[in-house]
Structures are given as structure tokens and as C-alpha cells.
Amino acid sequence: MMNTYRVLFFLLFLFSVNTLFSQRKLSGNEKRESTFINANGEIDTLKTSKSTKVILSGDTKYTDYKIFSFHRDTTYIDTTLTINKHYLFNYLRKDNFELFQFHNQGQTYNNLGYRFDDLNRLPDFGFSAKQFPYLDVEDINYYEVPTPTTEITYKTGLQQGQFVDAIFTLNFSRRLNVSLAYKGLRSLGAYRRALVSSGNFRGTFSYRTKENQYEIRGHLTTQDFFHEENGGLTASALQSFIDEDPNFDQRSRLDVNLIDAESQFNSTRFYVEHSYKLLASKDSLSKKDFTNLKVGHVFTSESKSYNFTQPTNTTSIFGDANSTNPSNNDALSAITNNELNLEFNSKYVLGKFKAKVHVTNYSYGYDTILNSTSTINRLKLEGNAISFGGSWNGKIKNFKINADASVTPGSGRLSGNYFKGEAIFSKDSVFDVRGSVLLSSKSPNFNTLLHQSKYDDYNWQNNFSNVNTRDLGFSLQSKWINGSVNFTNIDNYTYFDENSLPQQFANQITYLKVKANREFKFWKLALDNTVMYQNVSSGSSVFRVPEFVTRNTFYYTDDWFKGKPMLVNIGVTFRYFTQYQMNAYNPLLAEFRLQNTEEIGFPTVDFFFNARVRRTRLYLQVDNVTSGFSKKNYFSAPNYPFRDFTVRFGLVWNWFI
């Protein structure tokens, strides 16, 4: 209920602010029609009648509405309707081709593929099944807009509830921007004890002085994810589902393993980075810096907590319980990082060099012993570490090189090393070829090293070795085909075994992933195909993926009605992954574990009708169309059926005041 109030309050705030900024009359030199050329080269026009008071200046271009990523890459607010926008219209706001979701949106995802080319420098908190929607530092965007701008994303929930992602940003001047955003979800789900309630608040700011001598940007995030945990269907309920017993067509009648279990994941983060230009030499023609020297500071403070509660031990699914403190079982993590850097940028030496020093303080653990039979003798993992590193970004015509490295000496939990190098060759908009290498050595996630629970079998204290990862990748982006190849080796791979205990694999994991995408177009029809092949030549007993994953979308695109006020996309998406021993979900750990009894792999067919009217995109989706007459073999994990035939709708609405 609290998340619902937050969403309503935030929407009211956005409406009030936009109303405030829209109350102005047109000046004589403002035009009634503003034309944008979007990122795909299509014309995007906002037409207004004579009585309309809210318009964009005729001098405003789409390139004025900028989005800056963490790495300072620039994109633009795009109001077009494409097949890629359809793939992004989900709770994660990402293309989830390599993931398979549970039946209720907001629940966790099972992995159909893995990425190791973008690992973090530091070990993570863990409880990874709850962190698919988590927004890291690299996921926060910053903005620069000439007029107050809002984007509202809405989607209906499953059974009851809704999902809203609202973003508002404005510039107080060309050099000062602020933004507020809130993503809220509440969805009941079709099965018992499947309620999801979550919220992601983001507030950002960025500022630079007139001559760009001083720059600062930062953000504040608070994120919370609440889940009712049902533990999947009981054995008898699972058989009734598979046998298509008509008495259980209403899925809430099926019995589940847990009747009062809940989990809560919370996080707060404050991040700020700023720099001061010590020296600068300007180009006499462009007046831009030709050479400069900057000193910078980056501060990050992030806390996370996770708890699993089950007031009554009415099931033996987790074994015996002996609680010493039932009211407080939170796992707590806090990391503070200060980075000092010195940056030298000059065209004479082909790029930008940055030397860095990180001072990191970390703490993970519990406030007390939770189990009376526990032999754990350490409540927390704590320590400090100093890291040294540097980065280089160079460019020669169409060729770019990016490199980032750091080393953390010592024997503590944060000791290790990191290197990522990337070479890019681009030929205008024709093609882009990339080669990358990543070398990483870091501690496993903290929850594999120390974990407490009132359940006897879920208490451990380990002294694992660093996980060593080597990833070699190649990718091609072109107007003919898009593809990527990644070859990965992992030593000391850490996983949860069939008994939900953390283990390290004694041998090496060897993993190959090949992915290709190609779209064929004819007249108003198109066929978009994405195929992924995976092979684990060493370590397949603990590292499991389907051999093939495919997504094929056949759709029709056309402008409807006189004057072309509406663009529509109508189509069907076929998804399939080959059978494999898909990992099982453990709700107490919020982790996936190995299982050796079931092979899961099946096709799904989804229908969609999408439309764009001015700057509003409308979405109607029908999931798992064939579930009514197909075999009941569709599962997101053992004991967790995927959703049945479901109809949902939503929209994405942009306002430019």
C-alpha cells in the first residue's frame, strides 16, 4: 500500500510541475509545429492547434534533449516506435532475451545466458535473485534538456496491481540539471503468495561552471523489493497442474510449499563525482580545450540489507529451525569508496589518461548469532583496502582504444586485480567492429562466505579463494547483421549445490557464447531473428545453460488513418530454448541452486499490438498464447510454472513543455 501512495504522490507532483511550466503564452516568433529527426532518421512531429498553449520552440531539435550515461556516452530522448522498443517494454526496461521471468512481473528471473565482459571491480553483497531490477551506479542516467521533460511508463500488473516508471527532468540553466524518477510496482500474481511490491527512487543533479573549469554530478537512490515467497507448488499441486486437472484452472487453488514466508531487500546509495581543471590550453579556432589537466574525486556510499522471514515453521522444506533472535535476521552490507584521480587529456598524445587511487571500507554481516546450534564465530566481515589503477581512452580517426585497470594488494577480502581493454573500429553508420578482453580476480559474493539463519542447514563460514575470470569477446554491428562471440574461462567458480550450500568448483569453467541478430524487411512486413548458441566444454556439471535460445518476431508496420496520425506494429513473437537442467530457486537464500532431476525447455508464443500517436506509445500484449491447448511443461524453474494466457496493456508517454 505504501508503494501505491508513493506512485500516486509522484504522479501528482509531476502533473503539478508540468502544469506550472506550461502556463505561458506564445510569443510572436514561436512556431506552431516543431519537427524532430529521431535517432533512427525518422521524422517525429508534434502538431498543435491554434488553441494549444504548450508547444516546443521551433528552434528546438531532438539533439537538444540529451541523456548521458555513467560513461558519458550521449543518446537522445527517442519517441519512435520500433521493435526494439517493444523488447524494452518490461519491468526491467531492458531487453531480457537472455533471461526467463517467473510468472508474476517483479519476481526473479532464471538465466538462459551469462555475461562476464562487464564485471564489477569489487565483490557483491549476494542474494543475487533479488538484484535483477537493482539499479547500480552504471545504470543511472543524467540529462540536459532545454524544456521541462517527463516520461511516464505504465503497465498493468498480473491479476491486480500496476507498474509505473515516472521520470521528470529540467535544466535551471544550460549548465544545471536535476531529475527525479520513481519506478513502482505492485502485482498480486496468479498463484498463492506471489505478491510483489517494489520501489526505485532516483534523484540526479549535474552542474558545470561557465568555462567548464569545475564539474560535478551525483545521484541518490533508495530501492526496496518486497516479495511473498511460496516455495513453488507442492508435489500434488504440481501433478494437478501437469495433468490439467480442471478443478485447478484457477491457479490460486493450487497448494504451495510456503504459506507465510516473505523476503525484503533494501538499499540506499549516495554517489557524487566532481573535478577541477588545473590547466587548460584552448584551440584557437574551435575555442575548445586542446590540452587539459584535471584533479577529481568520486565518493560512493552504499548500504544493502536482506531478510527472509517465516513466522511459523509449518513445512520442513528448509529443515530444522532453532532461533535465538526471530525478530532480527537482517544481513547487512555497507561499502564506502573514495576515489582520487588525476586526468590528463591532450590530442598531442592521442587521448585521455587517468591515474586513480581508491580507498575502500566495507562491512558485511549480522548483529547477533541467529541460530542456537550455530558454530559460527564471526559476526561480520570487515576491513579496508587501497587500490591503484588507471585508464586510457584514445582515438585515431575511426579507431578507438579504451582501457581500465586496477590492483588491490594485500590478503584481505577486497584484494585482487581488474583489467578491461577494448578496441573499436567504426565506419560511419555502416558497421562497428569491437574486440575486448577482461581479466578479473576478486572475492566471491559475501553471502557465500558468511550466512546465518534460524534454519540449521543454512549457517556457514567459508574462506574461499578469489574467482578468476578471463573473457575474450568480439562483436559486429552493421546494417546487414549484428553478432557477438564471447569465450570465457573461470577458475574457482562459486555456486550453490543441490543442498543449497556454497561450493567452489575445483576445475576450470570453459564457456562459449555466440549470438546473432538479423532483421528481414519486405513491404510493410518484417521478421526479426535473434539466435544464441552456447557450449560449456568444461564444467558443465555445475555451469548449466541451454544449447540454443531463439527469438523470432514477425510483425506488420503501417501508418493508419488519413494524415497518418497513428503508426502501428502488429505481430507475434516465438521464443524457444532447448531442454537443460535449469537451476532451481531457493527463496530463503534468494539464490539459484543446482538440481539434477528435471530438464526444462519449451516454446512460447506472444502476440502484440503496439501503436504510436504523437509522442505516446501504446502497448497491448498477449503472453503465452498457446498455453490453453499446449502441454503443461512451461516452467520458470522447477516447481514454478510460467504464466498462462495473459492479456496486459500499457503506454509510454513523453511530455516536452
Side-chain angles (χ1 to χ4, degrees):
M1 184 64 68
M2 181 62 67
N3 281 332
T4 302
Y5 290 148
R6 290 180 184 174
V7 172
L8 293 175
F9 175 79
F10 194 73
L11 291 176
L12 180 62
F13 169 77
L14 293 181
F15 178 78
S16 302
V17 172
N18 277 277
T19 302
L20 174 65
F21 278 95
S22 68
Q23 303 306 310
R24 66 180 182 88
K25 296 183 179 180
L26 300 178
S27 61
N29 59 358
E30 286 184 317
K31 299 181 180 180
R32 295 285 176 182
E33 182 176 305
S34 298
T35 302
F36 293 74
I37 306 298
N38 60 51
N40 296 320
E42 302 168 339
I43 296 178
D44 180 16
T45 303
L46 171 65
K47 295 182 178 180
T48 58
S49 66
K50 292 183 178 180
S51 61
T52 303
K53 293 185 178 180
V54 182
I55 70 167
L56 297 172
S57 167
D59 297 329
T60 303
K61 303 179 179 63
Y62 88 97
T63 52
D64 295 328
Y65 292 81
K66 299 176 182 179
I67 304 174
F68 300 102
S69 71
F70 169 77
H71 298 289
R72 300 186 185 276
D73 298 322
T74 305
T75 56
Y76 308 102
I77 295 177
D78 186 359
T79 63
T80 59
L81 180 66
T82 64
I83 192 63
N84 289 328
K85 292 289 189 68
H86 170 71
Y87 296 146
L88 297 175
F89 188 68
N90 54 58
Y91 173 60
L92 297 183
R93 308 299 304 275
K94 300 177 182 177
D95 188 343
N96 56 13
F97 172 76
E98 297 186 21
L99 301 174
F100 199 82
Q101 59 187 331
F102 276 40
H103 94 276
N104 193 10
Q105 64 177 340
Q107 287 184 304
T108 189
Y109 294 74
N110 220 325
N111 285 95
L112 301 179
Y114 293 88
R115 284 190 61 187
F116 295 98
D117 59 347
D118 197 24
L119 297 179
N120 291 325
R121 183 179 61 88
L122 300 175
D124 189 37
F125 178 50
F127 309 100
S128 56
K130 299 304 177 189
Q131 297 205 54
F132 285 100
Y134 186 76
L135 299 176
D136 285 310
V137 171
E138 294 81 2
D139 298 319
I140 303 300
N141 291 324
Y142 303 85
Y143 302 87
E144 181 181 303
V145 292
T147 61
T149 301
T150 300
E151 180 178 279
I152 300 290
T153 300
Y154 171 82
K155 193 173 187 178
T156 55
L158 201 68
Q159 297 296 323
Q160 298 177 22
Q162 60 280 320
F163 157 62
V164 175
D165 191 3
I167 302 170
F168 171 73
T169 179
L170 80 159
N171 271 63
F172 289 101
S173 70
R174 183 176 291 274
R175 294 175 282 109
L176 174 60
N177 174 273
V178 297
S179 73
L180 295 173
Y182 184 79
K183 180 165 72 171
L185 167 69
R186 188 174 179 86
S187 184
L188 182 63
Y191 293 84
R192 294 186 195 176
R193 302 292 301 173
L195 172 68
V196 177
S197 179
S198 66
N200 303 68
F201 170 80
R202 299 95 75 195
T204 74
F205 71 94
S206 59
Y207 172 76
R208 65 182 188 273
T209 56
K210 187 174 182 180
E211 298 297 329
N212 298 332
Q213 187 170 27
Y214 178 75
E215 296 180 86
I216 184 172
R217 69 175 182 176
H219 68 256
L220 171 69
T221 64
T222 60
Q223 306 180 64
D224 59 273
F225 309 102
F226 170 82
H227 297 79
E228 290 182 341
E229 304 286 359
N230 61 28
L233 300 181
T234 62
S236 59
L238 181 62
Q239 195 59 49
S240 297
F241 173 81
I242 295 173
D243 294 340
E244 303 183 52
D245 188 333
N247 293 319
F248 298 97
D249 287 343
Q250 187 175 342
R251 300 308 189 193
S252 59
R253 294 182 175 180
L254 291 167
D255 290 331
V256 294
N257 285 308
L258 303 174
I259 61 172
D260 60 351
E262 299 174 348
S263 66
Q264 180 77 47
F265 186 103
N266 295 326
S267 174
T268 300
R269 180 177 63 244
F270 178 69
Y271 173 88
V272 62
E273 61 173 298
H274 53 136
S275 63
Y276 184 81
K277 194 179 299 182
L278 299 175
L279 300 171
S281 175
K282 294 185 177 295
D283 185 287
S284 58
L285 296 178
S286 64
K287 302 301 181 181
K288 294 183 179 179
D289 287 351
F290 200 70
T291 302
N292 62 56
L293 180 66
K294 293 181 181 179
V295 60
H297 171 237
V298 181
F299 173 77
T300 308
S301 177
E302 184 172 45
S303 64
K304 296 179 180 179
S305 68
Y306 173 77
N307 72 65
F308 174 88
T309 58
Q310 186 185 8
T312 59
N313 302 324
T314 57
T315 176
S316 60
I317 186 174
F318 301 124
D320 296 333
N322 290 278
S323 177
T324 61
N325 191 352
S327 63
N328 182 13
N329 63 350
D330 287 13
L332 304 171
S333 170
I335 290 184
T336 302
N337 182 70
N338 280 281
E339 174 193 314
L340 298 176
N341 59 69
L342 187 66
E343 178 185 304
F344 178 70
N345 186 7
S346 174
K347 294 184 179 180
Y348 292 116
V349 291
L350 305 177
K352 178 175 65 176
F353 297 86
K354 181 182 288 188
K356 313 178 211 177
V357 177
H358 294 268
V359 180
T360 306
N361 174 272
Y362 74 95
S363 172
Y364 164 83
Y366 301 80
D367 292 332
T368 185
I369 296 295
L370 303 182
N371 190 295
S372 58
T373 66
S374 172
T375 60
I376 290 176
N377 56 24
R378 188 173 185 179
L379 290 177
K380 294 182 182 292
L381 304 176
E382 297 177 302
N384 300 282
I386 298 179
S387 305
F388 305 93
S391 63
W392 175 42
N393 306 100
K395 180 179 180 181
I396 306 175
K397 294 184 178 179
N398 295 329
F399 187 71
K400 298 179 182 178
I401 295 179
N402 301 313
D404 188 21
S406 71
V407 59
T408 307
S411 58
R413 282 297 165 197
L414 297 188
S415 64
N417 56 72
Y418 173 89
F419 172 79
K420 182 177 181 181
E422 184 179 48
I424 308 168
F425 181 79
S426 301
K427 182 63 176 177
D428 300 326
S429 59
V430 179
F431 66 86
D432 180 293
V433 180
R434 297 170 183 249
S436 65
V437 60
L438 182 138
L439 306 173
S440 170
S441 176
K442 66 176 183 177
S443 170
N445 291 342
F446 288 134
N447 69 328
T448 66
L449 305 177
L450 176 64
H451 186 269
Q452 289 199 66
S453 171
K454 70 177 182 180
Y455 296 98
D456 297 348
D457 296 334
Y458 290 85
N459 294 269
W460 56 73
Q461 183 176 328
N462 295 312
N463 188 27
F464 286 150
S465 301
N466 275 11
V467 179
N468 302 315
T469 306
R470 298 168 295 279
D471 183 88
L472 181 65
F474 301 93
S475 68
L476 169 67
Q477 301 286 324
S478 72
K479 60 181 181 180
W480 304 287
I481 191 171
N482 301 320
S484 64
V485 179
N486 284 85
F487 184 75
T488 308
N489 287 322
I490 309 173
D491 294 321
N492 301 322
Y493 176 70
T494 307
Y495 63 97
F496 289 89
D497 64 15
E498 298 93 323
N499 298 316
S500 297
L501 295 176
Q503 306 286 351
Q504 282 200 312
F505 189 53
N507 300 317
Q508 187 179 91
I509 302 290
T510 303
Y511 172 48
L512 172 68
K513 182 174 74 172
V514 182
K515 187 161 69 170
N517 169 262
R518 177 72 164 93
E519 185 177 46
F520 300 93
K521 290 187 176 182
F522 172 73
W523 186 55
K524 299 177 182 180
L525 304 176
L527 177 64
D528 184 75
N529 305 284
T530 304
V531 179
M532 181 169 67
Y533 167 76
Q534 301 176 104
N535 179 268
V536 182
S537 58
S538 175
S540 58
S541 61
V542 299
F543 188 89
R544 298 171 180 174
V545 291
E547 187 174 15
F548 286 99
V549 181
T550 182
R551 179 180 65 195
N552 311 93
T553 301
F554 180 72
Y555 66 100
Y556 161 84
T557 302
D558 194 13
D559 288 292
W560 281 6
F561 307 114
K562 185 178 180 180
K564 300 180 179 180
M566 176 186 289
L567 175 71
V568 299
N569 279 349
I570 306 172
V572 59
T573 297
F574 172 83
R575 290 191 65 178
Y576 173 72
F577 60 94
T578 53
Q579 289 192 341
Y580 75 111
Q581 290 178 331
M582 176 182 277
N583 287 340
Y585 175 58
N586 186 312
L588 187 153
L589 291 175
E591 296 282 3
F592 285 89
R593 62 168 180 84
L594 296 182
Q595 60 87 22
N596 297 311
T597 58
E598 296 183 43
E599 288 198 343
I600 297 175
F602 56 92
T604 61
V605 177
D606 305 328
F607 170 80
F608 63 89
F609 179 100
N610 304 331
R612 185 191 70 169
V613 180
R614 294 189 178 181
R615 287 178 174 79
T616 302
R617 280 83 72 206
L618 308 172
Y619 296 86
L620 175 67
Q621 297 182 195
V622 184
D623 298 335
N624 206 4
V625 174
T626 60
S627 63
F629 52 85
S630 64
K631 185 179 179 181
K632 295 299 182 288
N633 64 346
Y634 45 90
F635 292 87
S636 302
N639 293 3
Y640 285 88
F642 182 55
R643 68 172 62 111
D644 297 306
F645 178 95
T646 305
V647 180
R648 292 181 298 157
F649 69 90
L651 60 85
V652 180
W653 186 11
N654 287 95
W655 304 335
F656 302 93
I657 304 304

